[in-house]
Amino acid sequence: MKVTIVGAGNVGATCADVISYRGIASEVVLLDIKEGFAEGKALDITQCATNTGFNTKVSGVTNDYSKTAGSDVVVITSGIPRKPGMTREELIGINAGIVKTVAENVLKYSPDTIIVVVSNPMDTMTYLALKATGLPKNRIIGMGGALDSSRFRTYLSLALDKPANDISAMVIGGHGDTTMIPLTRLASYNGIPVTEFLSEEVLQKVAADTMVGGATLTGLLGTSAWYAPGASVAYLVDSILNDQKKMIACSVFVEGEYGQSDICIGVPCIIGKNGVEEILDIKLNDQEKALFAKSADAVRGMNDALKTILV
């Protein structure tokens, strides 16, 4: 199985490292426009093999899409990362042209690939990739919900003082500081609702911390985070390549699901060898429905900025 990662920056390189270390794919290609950058990252990762025991072939290439031919999955991380004080939404004008060009180029050599979009603003870039390529909706996936849910589980684990891997929790809605919806009502610790252990006040703080999880790290690091995003992409790619059919919150094109249409937004999906194999209908309460509708309106508003690009 072959995976191409376009963009060898922090997120792309971390994703390649996790995929290689865990043996998720037999081959990983890193591609970047900066001369020698992807080659250097690939060589650095490859030199870990003898110490960590992986056998994945990792290579890097400078802007030569022919080397990506036959990729089963292509991950797009291209674009500029957020800087302190910058919202994901402010990246639209800069990153849209990059993502569109990348998607078109990878399809020349891997026409049957599944595309995973990481570039921000992620919901809008996922929508752009879908509309620009004309691919079936199951083959264009935005990974934001996987990352947001991981952060949600982390904050719950801190509040509970219990292992994050014993906690089940999901974030739906847009991948934005004001648009994501941590489903506190449905979160559980080893099958027991977390509402049995945490007060409403604590749960609201957990939800609030989750929503600004990315911005918090940007403020601390001076740029976007990369370890958790890279691992989240690898987790999603693993479910595709190995047909694991995991339920993962992903940004996908909806056609009436959750009362919304003609946008890409985070909803619970079954992810397998065909990409998005099913969108699950979780019964939301009235408050959650209202929040989801508000989130969808915000995402739809950002998509309006793409009109000139998609002409």
Side-chain angles (χ1 to χ4, degrees), residues 159-238:
L160 289 163
D161 193 24
K162 298 294 188 296
N165 286 327
D166 284 350
I167 296 168
S168 177
M170 181 178 292
V171 175
I172 62 172
H175 180 58
D177 299 348
T178 61
T179 56
M180 65 180 74
I181 306 163
L183 294 173
T184 55
R185 179 178 63 89
L186 300 178
S188 64
Y189 164 58
N190 275 336
I192 303 171
V194 296
T195 52
E196 296 287 325
F197 307 100
L198 301 175
S199 68
E200 181 62 24
E201 181 181 3
V202 171
L203 284 172
Q204 288 305 311
K205 185 180 186 307
V206 166
D209 288 344
T210 299
M211 293 175 73
V212 296
T216 299
L217 287 163
T218 300
L220 292 168
L221 297 168
T223 187
S224 296
W226 59 89
Y227 292 120
S232 296
V233 178
Y235 180 76
L236 180 58
V237 171
D238 192 10

Side-chain angles (χ1 to χ4, degrees), residues 8 30-31 40 59-60 74 78 112 117 124 185 202 213 239 250 271 308:
L30 272 169
L31 183 148
S59 60
V74 172
S78 305
D112 298 320
V117 179
T124 302
R185 179 178 63 89
V202 171
S239 193
C250 298
I271 303 296
T308 56

